[in-house]
Amino acid sequence: MGSKYPRSVRGCLPLWALTLEAALILVFFFFTKYDSSKDQKELMGTYGAIFQDVTVMAVLGLGFLTSSLWKQGWSSVAFNLFMLALGVQWAVLLNGFLDQSFSEVVIITLPRIQKATMSAMSPLISVGAVLGKTNLVQLVLMTLIEVTVFDTMRMFSKKFLHMPDDINMMYIHVFAAYFGLIVAWCLSRPLPKEAKKKDQIATSPSLFAMLGTLFLWMFWPSFNSALLTSPHERKIAVFNTYYAIAVSAVTAISVSALAHPQGKINMAHIHNAVLAGGVAIGAPNHQISSPWSAMVLGLMAGLISIGGAKCLPVCFNRVLGIHDTCGVHYTFGLPGLLGGITNIALKAHQANWNRDPMNSFEVLIDAGALSLFVAVGLASGLLTGLLLKLKIWRAVPPVGKYFHDQAFWEFPHLAVGF
Amino acid sequence: MGSKYPRSVRGCLPLWALTLEAALILVFFFFTKYDSSKDQKELMGTYGAIFQDVTVMAVLGLGFLTSSLWKQGWSSVAFNLFMLALGVQWAVLLNGFLDQSFSEVVIITLPRIQKATMSAMSPLISVGAVLGKTNLVQLVLMTLIEVTVFDTMRMFSKKFLHMPDDINMMYIHVFAAYFGLIVAWCLSRPLPKEAKKKDQIATSPSLFAMLGTLFLWMFWPSFNSALLTSPHERKIAVFNTYYAIAVSAVTAISVSALAHPQGKINMAHIHNAVLAGGVAIGAPNHQISSPWSAMVLGLMAGLISIGGAKCLPVCFNRVLGIHDTCGVHYTFGLPGLLGGITNIALKAHQANWNRDPMNSFEVLIDAGALSLFVAVGLASGLLTGLLLKLKIWRAVPPVGKYFHDQAFWEFPHLAVGF
Amino acid sequence: MGSKYPRSVRGCLPLWALTLEAALILVFFFFTKYDSSKDQKELMGTYGAIFQDVTVMAVLGLGFLTSSLWKQGWSSVAFNLFMLALGVQWAVLLNGFLDQSFSEVVIITLPRIQKATMSAMSPLISVGAVLGKTNLVQLVLMTLIEVTVFDTMRMFSKKFLHMPDDINMMYIHVFAAYFGLIVAWCLSRPLPKEAKKKDQIATSPSLFAMLGTLFLWMFWPSFNSALLTSPHERKIAVFNTYYAIAVSAVTAISVSALAHPQGKINMAHIHNAVLAGGVAIGAPNHQISSPWSAMVLGLMAGLISIGGAKCLPVCFNRVLGIHDTCGVHYTFGLPGLLGGITNIALKAHQANWNRDPMNSFEVLIDAGALSLFVAVGLASGLLTGLLLKLKIWRAVPPVGKYFHDQAFWEFPHLAVGF
């Protein structure tokens, strides 16, 4: 059972992670304090409940969503927790520094922690594209860069494009998906046959992945309504998400059967596509004011997601050489684009209707913001990917150990057979 | 790996499901609109929380409850999601049409979606009796019929028998259980030996089923109190359910050991019987005003559930030829009957005490309602069963593929061995 | 498939459990009634939500946390439910009797049930040390004794040492851990090689254990803030726990890699140590008023937990002969001690600062309370262990069947191979 895993990695992860943690504690020491206001509302009722839903989505939902590979469940779930725990700490600081002026102490409040959790979900989404092909040091670096870039982008679009928080947070899906895909492209190496065999789904892991999918499915209405402040808008957002995601679940399962010559359903499609409706409804959200339009959007999202999963891998894998481990492109990328475009189309329609130059300007801004998020996602992903390719993160698992927990985990003898 | 599954199914499910979905979107287009009231209470505090608990019970609880069979976890969980997503859309419309006059537009509110979710749980319960022996097209049809019949019955008993919503919703257990059993009877075909082998439980799937059971166990107090409007009644309902379900868990595990010659516990019993207390307390619910009576009811429910699981299968399987895949009869049927009868007995006792003819009349009404729900469940189940036997749903899996995901799912080569 | 399990156990568990249940129902009949106040607040908003979080932690969290052993998932989860369901009933009564004078009827309220649930978590923690080496009758006895002793201790420290509920509840971790360890020591028998092989972790069970860990991780802020009454203190407690547990997750994973010669992470460490921060922050809790100190405490807790898991088993296993099945000592014992000592140190520092003799006295009281909880835990654990060794609980599984569900569960033929 001698591992081919280089010894040098031993010092690498702990050194990095503990230094980083110590640095974070220092920054917290100098620059933060707790909210000492006596405001009682915060932890009660809706607010606390939505915060918890978002946490459950990040920890359980995204953690288990990527656990469907045959021998990679441990890494999926534990690395997800590690990245989230680090990412949230960093995102709270960043959010505070960017939001207030730099001279002040960051005050830690529940809304700030919640926003930080949502920002920290971006690397958790991207990781689906590179999982099994990177080590934990690389993932930590990716987390830091991605959270920084995404939060800066959000702040930029808020301050200069005057986009509200609840809209620019919804671009997380396209941003994270394209960021992850480009990183996967940079790190792509030809996979040996053995690794391809491991890149498959099995019964029990698939059920764990289904568990993650279901947690995301159930709590998505909370995610989409989390940053809305008006109770009425929040209610509409919850309803829209509920209907869109219900229809995308129905569509995904039906179309997956349609796409197979013998009418069989593909489990990997289900993990991806049932969530497409929730992703797509994110950006237009409370602008949609009737259930049927949310349902149509959910239907289209399901179709696009399954269609992408069926047709794109060929060109992505063979031509571009991007290996998207868990289908991030179909789960988050394409439905997110659909949502962004729908948002723009809705505003354009409205502008056309009102013949108000202000509205037309807003349409342009929205279109610009969407392209900006995609472009910055691609650019920063490229930089990150090139950075991650450097030899100093020596501990990349050998290609033969791709998609296998054995590369990172102490395996008891018995467990190997399972 | 050539499948014996007929090709024709390919078009069948997607055609049906997508047409249905399109029809639903059209109906939503013409007949629904969102609640535009500025009422802020709805999504906050208790209401939103209970709605979410009910969703978790339907998606995770009932989804995983039936996943204990050896090779059938995928179908259990995914078909459950599919049926729920479709059923809820239909139930919201139905609930609106039946509740208001037909001429008006249905207003979509959170309480209405919650009631629809609870109604849509009836096919999710019934499916436990026919799982592994039907295809998804048949299940979709069953969902539509069962939700329609159950909601019509509820409306009937509300308008004409003046039973409140919180009581008539609790007859869901008996209704759904007997509906499912009769459908299973109609579809019964002699099982080959090979299929019987698959109809067994294994370690990992059983833990998933346990997960479903535990989610139901924990959130059952929310289910039983969901439709009560008075906070005091709701509190009593929560307490009663809590005690009844705690005692039925203790009873189930103890009696299961008693029933085995060597004192070993049967996992299938546990999945069924720990929930019996929650089912039984549903109908009498807030009428019971002391913990000890809830506990006694929980004890009896646990006994009846285990007793039924031990003794009835022989006569059901051999004499009647009903094969109840996941023990729906013991989990929901018998404890539901117990609850209904307890409800009547409590009212009769009260009537006897008061010597008030009004009370006696109520007892009769209650007894009538219980029998009506069972009778309509049996009758509509029979019709549905006969309908499902028609050859047009060609894609029934061959008997040899009963209880096996392979019939419906694209299986990677590796997964077969697991 | 003849079992070596003695027949006599058949009557043992059901007889005991059902008699106990009947006795409990009788006591409830004579001595309890429901809260009939019309107070509407209780079930709404924060209170109901926190109660539910605590239930989820007890049922899912602690149930699955111990399910990582190869063939023991069924016992972990189901025995946990059984012990909780019994323990809560007993703890409600006890809490009522000790809190009020004995002459009155116990009024059942939601806060009382919540406190009872938290008390009943003590045997669920201890069981981690003896799981797989005891039968269910022994566990029931242990539950009753441990809940009684712990609740009496809490009441004693509340009435005579004037410690508030929210502090003395946090000593549950040290109390339960040392109680469990001593019981394990009393029951220790040399394990055959075969049993040692079973005492290992495997892929799927580990993911279930991870699920339990994650539920505990997510909901720990609710546990630590559950008994605080001031909204401001509660907010601080939530923040502190959040930061401490995030840092301990990062630390645990990093240090686990550091401790392995090839830098591989140990899954068993992760299950234990990611929670250490939440345990350690329990006692000092709202006294800590800045994020960085909570983070330092989380870091130390993670270090101590992994350090203990790496170094102590040798001396514990070989010298003392204590076999701690699921690492209770590292998850709850050591971090709990750290938390208690931090609490005392903080108060001592404060006393030193204020030069107030009243403060110094409080420090002494706190130190006394911590030692008292540990000492009583050890003493009552010793008594319980000796009691459990008596021959009358004949049904101890033979050593060869240690850590195997087969000893207690009816196994279908097929499941054996899994």
Side-chain angles (χ1 to χ4, degrees), chain B residues 285-319:
Chain B
N285 216 343
H286 65 272
Q287 288 196 60
I288 291 178
S289 56
S290 51
W292 71 270
S293 18
M295 291 164 83
V296 169
L297 195 61
L299 183 81
M300 284 165 62
L303 285 175
I304 283 179
S305 180
I306 295 274
K310 204 69 195 172
C311 313
L312 285 184
V314 182
C315 84
F316 262 67
N317 259 348
R318 298 216 189 128
V319 183

mmCIF file of all heavy atoms in Angstrom, chain B residues 285-319:
data_model
loop_
_atom_site.group_PDB
_atom_site.id
_atom_site.type_symbol
_atom_site.label_atom_id
_atom_site.label_comp_id
_atom_site.label_asym_id
_atom_site.label_seq_id
_atom_site.Cartn_x
_atom_site.Cartn_y
_atom_site.Cartn_z
ATOM 1 N N ASN B 285 -55.588 14.297 18.078
ATOM 2 C CA ASN B 285 -54.732 15.471 18.243
ATOM 3 C C ASN B 285 -55.025 16.398 19.420
ATOM 4 O O ASN B 285 -54.795 16.021 20.566
ATOM 5 C CB ASN B 285 -54.778 16.271 16.943
ATOM 6 C CG ASN B 285 -53.428 16.877 16.670
ATOM 7 O OD1 ASN B 285 -52.609 16.961 17.576
ATOM 8 N ND2 ASN B 285 -53.196 17.268 15.460
ATOM 9 N N HIS B 286 -55.587 17.583 19.169
ATOM 10 C CA HIS B 286 -55.690 18.556 20.253
ATOM 11 C C HIS B 286 -56.874 18.283 21.171
ATOM 12 O O HIS B 286 -57.111 19.009 22.111
ATOM 13 C CB HIS B 286 -55.746 19.984 19.707
ATOM 14 C CG HIS B 286 -56.967 20.239 18.899
ATOM 15 N ND1 HIS B 286 -57.031 19.986 17.557
ATOM 16 C CD2 HIS B 286 -58.174 20.718 19.242
ATOM 17 C CE1 HIS B 286 -58.225 20.301 17.104
ATOM 18 N NE2 HIS B 286 -58.930 20.748 18.103
ATOM 19 N N GLN B 287 -57.629 17.219 20.879
ATOM 20 C CA GLN B 287 -58.695 16.848 21.807
ATOM 21 C C GLN B 287 -58.144 16.171 23.041
ATOM 22 O O GLN B 287 -58.788 16.145 24.086
ATOM 23 C CB GLN B 287 -59.642 15.876 21.136
ATOM 24 C CG GLN B 287 -60.501 16.536 20.099
ATOM 25 C CD GLN B 287 -61.637 15.610 19.777
ATOM 26 O OE1 GLN B 287 -62.422 15.270 20.647
ATOM 27 N NE2 GLN B 287 -61.681 15.180 18.547
ATOM 28 N N ILE B 288 -56.998 15.528 22.855
ATOM 29 C CA ILE B 288 -56.339 14.867 23.981
ATOM 30 C C ILE B 288 -55.650 15.947 24.791
ATOM 31 O O ILE B 288 -54.913 16.757 24.254
ATOM 32 C CB ILE B 288 -55.324 13.836 23.453
ATOM 33 C CG1 ILE B 288 -56.073 12.689 22.797
ATOM 34 C CG2 ILE B 288 -54.411 13.362 24.547
ATOM 35 C CD1 ILE B 288 -55.182 11.648 22.195
ATOM 36 N N SER B 289 -55.907 15.947 26.103
ATOM 37 C CA SER B 289 -55.409 17.089 26.861
ATOM 38 C C SER B 289 -54.426 16.706 27.956
ATOM 39 O O SER B 289 -54.156 17.476 28.851
ATOM 40 C CB SER B 289 -56.581 17.848 27.455
ATOM 41 O OG SER B 289 -57.330 16.949 28.233
ATOM 42 N N SER B 290 -53.916 15.492 27.894
ATOM 43 C CA SER B 290 -52.925 15.128 28.903
ATOM 44 C C SER B 290 -51.878 14.225 28.265
ATOM 45 O O SER B 290 -52.193 13.424 27.381
ATOM 46 C CB SER B 290 -53.587 14.397 30.060
ATOM 47 O OG SER B 290 -54.371 13.351 29.538
ATOM 48 N N PRO B 291 -50.634 14.360 28.717
ATOM 49 C CA PRO B 291 -49.574 13.582 28.075
ATOM 50 C C PRO B 291 -49.791 12.079 28.164
ATOM 51 O O PRO B 291 -49.501 11.355 27.211
ATOM 52 C CB PRO B 291 -48.320 14.006 28.839
ATOM 53 C CG PRO B 291 -48.768 14.753 30.039
ATOM 54 C CD PRO B 291 -50.120 15.262 29.751
ATOM 55 N N TRP B 292 -50.329 11.603 29.309
ATOM 56 C CA TRP B 292 -50.406 10.148 29.458
ATOM 57 C C TRP B 292 -51.317 9.527 28.407
ATOM 58 O O TRP B 292 -51.022 8.433 27.910
ATOM 59 C CB TRP B 292 -50.830 9.758 30.876
ATOM 60 C CG TRP B 292 -52.266 10.068 31.179
ATOM 61 C CD1 TRP B 292 -52.755 11.212 31.705
ATOM 62 C CD2 TRP B 292 -53.389 9.219 30.937
ATOM 63 N NE1 TRP B 292 -54.110 11.162 31.799
ATOM 64 C CE2 TRP B 292 -54.530 9.949 31.355
ATOM 65 C CE3 TRP B 292 -53.563 7.941 30.435
ATOM 66 C CZ2 TRP B 292 -55.809 9.422 31.258
ATOM 67 C CZ3 TRP B 292 -54.843 7.409 30.341
ATOM 68 C CH2 TRP B 292 -55.948 8.153 30.753
ATOM 69 N N SER B 293 -52.394 10.205 28.013
ATOM 70 C CA SER B 293 -53.267 9.579 27.010
ATOM 71 C C SER B 293 -52.588 9.555 25.644
ATOM 72 O O SER B 293 -52.721 8.574 24.897
ATOM 73 C CB SER B 293 -54.631 10.270 26.935
ATOM 74 O OG SER B 293 -54.615 11.543 27.499
ATOM 75 N N ALA B 294 -51.824 10.623 25.331
ATOM 76 C CA ALA B 294 -51.064 10.574 24.086
ATOM 77 C C ALA B 294 -50.067 9.420 24.119
ATOM 78 O O ALA B 294 -49.860 8.720 23.123
ATOM 79 C CB ALA B 294 -50.341 11.899 23.874
ATOM 80 N N MET B 295 -49.458 9.221 25.308
ATOM 81 C CA MET B 295 -48.470 8.146 25.428
ATOM 82 C C MET B 295 -49.113 6.774 25.258
ATOM 83 O O MET B 295 -48.551 5.884 24.617
ATOM 84 C CB MET B 295 -47.757 8.255 26.766
ATOM 85 C CG MET B 295 -46.850 9.468 26.844
ATOM 86 S SD MET B 295 -46.366 9.888 28.533
ATOM 87 C CE MET B 295 -45.009 8.768 28.789
ATOM 88 N N VAL B 296 -50.310 6.603 25.871
ATOM 89 C CA VAL B 296 -51.002 5.318 25.723
ATOM 90 C C VAL B 296 -51.330 5.068 24.250
ATOM 91 O O VAL B 296 -51.141 3.961 23.734
ATOM 92 C CB VAL B 296 -52.291 5.302 26.581
ATOM 93 C CG1 VAL B 296 -53.142 4.098 26.228
ATOM 94 C CG2 VAL B 296 -51.944 5.299 28.053
ATOM 95 N N LEU B 297 -51.774 6.120 23.565
ATOM 96 C CA LEU B 297 -52.095 5.966 22.145
ATOM 97 C C LEU B 297 -50.835 5.595 21.348
ATOM 98 O O LEU B 297 -50.881 4.738 20.458
ATOM 99 C CB LEU B 297 -52.695 7.276 21.615
ATOM 100 C CG LEU B 297 -53.402 7.176 20.269
ATOM 101 C CD1 LEU B 297 -54.566 6.205 20.346
ATOM 102 C CD2 LEU B 297 -53.909 8.542 19.823
ATOM 103 N N GLY B 298 -49.716 6.228 21.686
ATOM 104 C CA GLY B 298 -48.463 5.901 21.019
ATOM 105 C C GLY B 298 -48.067 4.455 21.247
ATOM 106 O O GLY B 298 -47.609 3.755 20.330
ATOM 107 N N LEU B 299 -48.267 3.988 22.503
ATOM 108 C CA LEU B 299 -47.951 2.599 22.837
ATOM 109 C C LEU B 299 -48.798 1.643 22.013
ATOM 110 O O LEU B 299 -48.291 0.685 21.402
ATOM 111 C CB LEU B 299 -48.200 2.380 24.335
ATOM 112 C CG LEU B 299 -47.861 1.022 24.913
ATOM 113 C CD1 LEU B 299 -46.368 0.941 25.182
ATOM 114 C CD2 LEU B 299 -48.617 0.781 26.226
ATOM 115 N N MET B 300 -50.111 1.918 21.955
ATOM 116 C CA MET B 300 -51.003 1.049 21.197
ATOM 117 C C MET B 300 -50.649 1.076 19.715
ATOM 118 O O MET B 300 -50.663 0.039 19.045
ATOM 119 C CB MET B 300 -52.455 1.484 21.395
ATOM 120 C CG MET B 300 -53.013 1.065 22.747
ATOM 121 S SD MET B 300 -54.534 1.944 23.126
ATOM 122 C CE MET B 300 -55.589 1.378 21.783
ATOM 123 N N ALA B 301 -50.337 2.271 19.206
ATOM 124 C CA ALA B 301 -50.001 2.373 17.782
ATOM 125 C C ALA B 301 -48.761 1.537 17.467
ATOM 126 O O ALA B 301 -48.716 0.819 16.463
ATOM 127 C CB ALA B 301 -49.772 3.831 17.407
ATOM 128 N N GLY B 302 -47.746 1.629 18.351
ATOM 129 C CA GLY B 302 -46.541 0.840 18.130
ATOM 130 C C GLY B 302 -46.842 -0.646 18.133
ATOM 131 O O GLY B 302 -46.367 -1.404 17.278
ATOM 132 N N LEU B 303 -47.663 -1.095 19.100
ATOM 133 C CA LEU B 303 -48.030 -2.512 19.195
ATOM 134 C C LEU B 303 -48.755 -2.975 17.934
ATOM 135 O O LEU B 303 -48.431 -4.011 17.339
ATOM 136 C CB LEU B 303 -48.937 -2.746 20.409
ATOM 137 C CG LEU B 303 -48.260 -2.740 21.776
ATOM 138 C CD1 LEU B 303 -49.312 -2.850 22.870
ATOM 139 C CD2 LEU B 303 -47.274 -3.906 21.855
ATOM 140 N N ILE B 304 -49.763 -2.202 17.528
ATOM 141 C CA ILE B 304 -50.565 -2.579 16.355
ATOM 142 C C ILE B 304 -49.696 -2.622 15.101
ATOM 143 O O ILE B 304 -49.790 -3.525 14.271
ATOM 144 C CB ILE B 304 -51.706 -1.556 16.157
ATOM 145 C CG1 ILE B 304 -52.820 -1.829 17.177
ATOM 146 C CG2 ILE B 304 -52.266 -1.631 14.748
ATOM 147 C CD1 ILE B 304 -53.964 -0.857 17.078
ATOM 148 N N SER B 305 -48.799 -1.653 14.989
ATOM 149 C CA SER B 305 -47.966 -1.582 13.796
ATOM 150 C C SER B 305 -47.044 -2.793 13.689
ATOM 151 O O SER B 305 -46.955 -3.435 12.644
ATOM 152 C CB SER B 305 -47.168 -0.279 13.827
ATOM 153 O OG SER B 305 -46.363 -0.183 12.712
ATOM 154 N N ILE B 306 -46.375 -3.130 14.805
ATOM 155 C CA ILE B 306 -45.482 -4.296 14.781
ATOM 156 C C ILE B 306 -46.297 -5.578 14.639
ATOM 157 O O ILE B 306 -45.942 -6.490 13.881
ATOM 158 C CB ILE B 306 -44.638 -4.363 16.068
ATOM 159 C CG1 ILE B 306 -43.704 -3.169 16.162
ATOM 160 C CG2 ILE B 306 -43.866 -5.667 16.129
ATOM 161 C CD1 ILE B 306 -42.412 -3.307 15.469
ATOM 162 N N GLY B 307 -47.415 -5.640 15.382
ATOM 163 C CA GLY B 307 -48.273 -6.825 15.291
ATOM 164 C C GLY B 307 -48.729 -7.061 13.858
ATOM 165 O O GLY B 307 -48.649 -8.178 13.333
ATOM 166 N N GLY B 308 -49.174 -5.995 13.206
ATOM 167 C CA GLY B 308 -49.611 -6.112 11.818
ATOM 168 C C GLY B 308 -48.475 -6.557 10.916
ATOM 169 O O GLY B 308 -48.635 -7.459 10.077
ATOM 170 N N ALA B 309 -47.298 -5.967 11.102
ATOM 171 C CA ALA B 309 -46.164 -6.306 10.242
ATOM 172 C C ALA B 309 -45.763 -7.762 10.412
ATOM 173 O O ALA B 309 -45.239 -8.403 9.502
ATOM 174 C CB ALA B 309 -44.976 -5.402 10.559
ATOM 175 N N LYS B 310 -46.010 -8.294 11.617
ATOM 176 C CA LYS B 310 -45.599 -9.680 11.902
ATOM 177 C C LYS B 310 -46.638 -10.675 11.387
ATOM 178 O O LYS B 310 -46.288 -11.732 10.884
ATOM 179 C CB LYS B 310 -45.427 -9.809 13.421
ATOM 180 C CG LYS B 310 -44.508 -10.900 13.880
ATOM 181 C CD LYS B 310 -43.050 -10.650 13.548
ATOM 182 C CE LYS B 310 -42.244 -11.917 13.707
ATOM 183 N NZ LYS B 310 -40.880 -11.763 13.227
ATOM 184 N N CYS B 311 -47.923 -10.360 11.568
ATOM 185 C CA CYS B 311 -48.965 -11.357 11.296
ATOM 186 C C CYS B 311 -49.642 -11.191 9.939
ATOM 187 O O CYS B 311 -49.969 -12.184 9.287
ATOM 188 C CB CYS B 311 -50.043 -11.301 12.375
ATOM 189 S SG CYS B 311 -49.371 -11.262 14.024
ATOM 190 N N LEU B 312 -49.868 -9.962 9.508
ATOM 191 C CA LEU B 312 -50.696 -9.772 8.324
ATOM 192 C C LEU B 312 -50.043 -10.196 7.005
ATOM 193 O O LEU B 312 -50.749 -10.689 6.120
ATOM 194 C CB LEU B 312 -51.164 -8.324 8.229
ATOM 195 C CG LEU B 312 -52.270 -7.946 9.210
ATOM 196 C CD1 LEU B 312 -52.718 -6.524 8.956
ATOM 197 C CD2 LEU B 312 -53.460 -8.888 9.057
ATOM 198 N N PRO B 313 -48.734 -10.015 6.819
ATOM 199 C CA PRO B 313 -48.195 -10.306 5.493
ATOM 200 C C PRO B 313 -48.562 -11.681 4.995
ATOM 201 O O PRO B 313 -48.821 -11.873 3.807
ATOM 202 C CB PRO B 313 -46.684 -10.180 5.695
ATOM 203 C CG PRO B 313 -46.537 -9.227 6.801
ATOM 204 C CD PRO B 313 -47.702 -9.498 7.714
ATOM 205 N N VAL B 314 -48.621 -12.664 5.901
ATOM 206 C CA VAL B 314 -48.952 -14.022 5.469
ATOM 207 C C VAL B 314 -50.283 -14.021 4.735
ATOM 208 O O VAL B 314 -50.384 -14.441 3.583
ATOM 209 C CB VAL B 314 -48.992 -14.975 6.687
ATOM 210 C CG1 VAL B 314 -49.290 -16.384 6.234
ATOM 211 C CG2 VAL B 314 -47.682 -14.895 7.452
ATOM 212 N N CYS B 315 -51.334 -13.516 5.409
ATOM 213 C CA CYS B 315 -52.650 -13.561 4.764
ATOM 214 C C CYS B 315 -52.717 -12.594 3.586
ATOM 215 O O CYS B 315 -53.293 -12.903 2.555
ATOM 216 C CB CYS B 315 -53.777 -13.329 5.770
ATOM 217 S SG CYS B 315 -54.125 -11.614 6.098
ATOM 218 N N PHE B 316 -52.058 -11.431 3.723
ATOM 219 C CA PHE B 316 -52.103 -10.467 2.626
ATOM 220 C C PHE B 316 -51.387 -10.997 1.392
ATOM 221 O O PHE B 316 -51.899 -10.922 0.282
ATOM 222 C CB PHE B 316 -51.486 -9.141 3.059
ATOM 223 C CG PHE B 316 -52.512 -8.157 3.471
ATOM 224 C CD1 PHE B 316 -53.273 -8.370 4.602
ATOM 225 C CD2 PHE B 316 -52.756 -7.028 2.718
ATOM 226 C CE1 PHE B 316 -54.245 -7.479 4.977
ATOM 227 C CE2 PHE B 316 -53.729 -6.118 3.089
ATOM 228 C CZ PHE B 316 -54.473 -6.343 4.221
ATOM 229 N N ASN B 317 -50.195 -11.515 1.634
ATOM 230 C CA ASN B 317 -49.400 -11.978 0.499
ATOM 231 C C ASN B 317 -49.983 -13.221 -0.135
ATOM 232 O O ASN B 317 -50.190 -13.291 -1.333
ATOM 233 C CB ASN B 317 -47.961 -12.279 0.949
ATOM 234 C CG ASN B 317 -47.034 -11.157 0.569
ATOM 235 O OD1 ASN B 317 -47.399 -10.291 -0.202
ATOM 236 N ND2 ASN B 317 -45.843 -11.188 1.116
ATOM 237 N N ARG B 318 -50.280 -14.221 0.705
ATOM 238 C CA ARG B 318 -50.681 -15.511 0.162
ATOM 239 C C ARG B 318 -52.132 -15.531 -0.258
ATOM 240 O O ARG B 318 -52.472 -15.944 -1.352
ATOM 241 C CB ARG B 318 -50.439 -16.611 1.212
ATOM 242 C CG ARG B 318 -48.972 -16.698 1.538
ATOM 243 C CD ARG B 318 -48.485 -18.075 1.788
ATOM 244 N NE ARG B 318 -47.112 -17.930 2.302
ATOM 245 C CZ ARG B 318 -46.676 -18.478 3.405
ATOM 246 N NH1 ARG B 318 -47.456 -19.289 4.105
ATOM 247 N NH2 ARG B 318 -45.436 -18.283 3.802
ATOM 248 N N VAL B 319 -53.024 -15.066 0.648
ATOM 249 C CA VAL B 319 -54.455 -15.199 0.373
ATOM 250 C C VAL B 319 -54.917 -14.127 -0.612
ATOM 251 O O VAL B 319 -55.465 -14.410 -1.669
ATOM 252 C CB VAL B 319 -55.266 -15.128 1.683
ATOM 253 C CG1 VAL B 319 -56.736 -15.342 1.386
ATOM 254 C CG2 VAL B 319 -54.739 -16.139 2.676
#
